[in-house]
Structures are given as structure tokens and as C-alpha cells.
Amino acid sequence: PVHITSISPSSSPNTISKMVAVASMIAAPKTVALPVRARATRAAAAPVRRVVSCQATETKETAAPTEAPVAPPAPKPETFGDMMNFGGYLPEVNNGRLAMLGFIAGVPAEISTSQPIFQQVAEHPLAVAAHIVIFSVASAMPRLQGEKTAKPESSEFGVWKASSEMLNGRAAMIGMASLLVIEATTGKAFF
């Protein structure tokens, strides 16, 4: 219990009743010590104290209002610049997807025709450019459709995980770069 003590010896009965009223509005049990003037003049030089104990019950009127939890601010939608900047995720995702596509399409074509990757790209520039545009737009499609982000982590399911895609994309980028360096130095198809 909380104790409220008034040490003013000159409290009037009106002040005392106000203090009792305030104490009764507080939900927890309270003990209030209030000074009272002595009735007899020769009684005492020090004031006599009367202890008033009041206990209030909590009702809807006296209950303290609870504060609603503050929600964190909603993330702002990403702009194309946010996705494609130097520290953004889209360049790596996009390059990884294009490297996987190039490796999966270029190696079988190289095996069947014995043409190096450079020759394949030179003979079919529109098909290569169209695939680059299609895959780049598809990588940003969730954001273009109104979602807050196009990060691959935002829509993982089953074995299709963003971490697996990033690992495969990085492996494909290394493999494609190695294949291009080997073919450029030897001048012939690797497979």
C-alpha cells in the first residue's frame, strides 16, 4: 500500500476532505495521515494526527486507461533505384538468373553445334537481348505488381529458397565467366 502523509498543521477540514476524496479515487488501498488541530488551547503545541484509511475499488470510471501498443512504421515501398543501387539485391539476383540461363542454354547449344558462346551470342543478338529484358523485368515483377519488395526472401516455399538461388546463381556466374575466359583464350568451344 502507498501512504500519503500531509505534514501541514494548518490544513482546513475542506482540504482534508479533498485529500480523502483524491485518495478514494485511486484504485489501490491507501492510508492517509492528516493533521488535526487540537480542540483545547492548552492541549498541545504539536498538532494531533488522525489516520484515515480508504480503499477504493477499480471501476470503469476509475480504471487507468491502457495505452495501445505502438506498431512499428510500415516499410516504404522500394523504388527501382533502391533495388538496383550498388548495395541493392537486384543486380546480383538478376546476374545470377541470367548466368544460370546462359549456362543452361549455352552449354547444350555448344555441345550440339561446337560453337563457342561468343559465336552463339553474335549469331542471335536479338534472342539474347530479349531474354535479358524478360528475365530482368521478371526479377522485379513482384514490386511492379504492388508488393513492398521484390526480394526473393519474401516468397520462399519448399525447396525453392532464396539462399539456394543465390548459391546457384553465384556458381553459374563463376562457371559462365570461367567458360568465357577459357573460350576467349583458346579461341574454340570448351565442350
Side-chain angles (χ1 to χ4, degrees), residues 100-159:
M100 288 187 278
L101 173 68
F103 202 81
I104 295 298
V107 170
E110 188 173 301
I111 291 171
S112 64
T113 63
S114 298
Q115 294 179 338
I117 299 290
F118 290 114
Q119 187 177 352
Q120 293 176 35
V121 171
E123 290 180 2
H124 307 287
L126 292 177
V128 171
H131 283 88
I132 289 173
V133 169
I134 289 169
F135 271 68
S136 298
V137 170
S139 294
M141 189 55 68
R143 177 64 190 101
L144 297 175
Q145 290 178 335
E147 291 186 23
K148 301 280 184 210
T149 184
K151 283 186 179 180
E153 293 91 14
S154 64
S155 58
E156 290 184 347
F157 60 94
V159 297

Side-chain angles (χ1 to χ4, degrees), residues 49-66:
R49 296 192 180 269
R50 180 184 339 160
V51 176
V52 179
S53 185
C54 32
Q55 184 171 352
T57 57
E58 187 171 328
T59 63
K60 289 182 182 176
E61 292 82 25
T62 62
T66 58

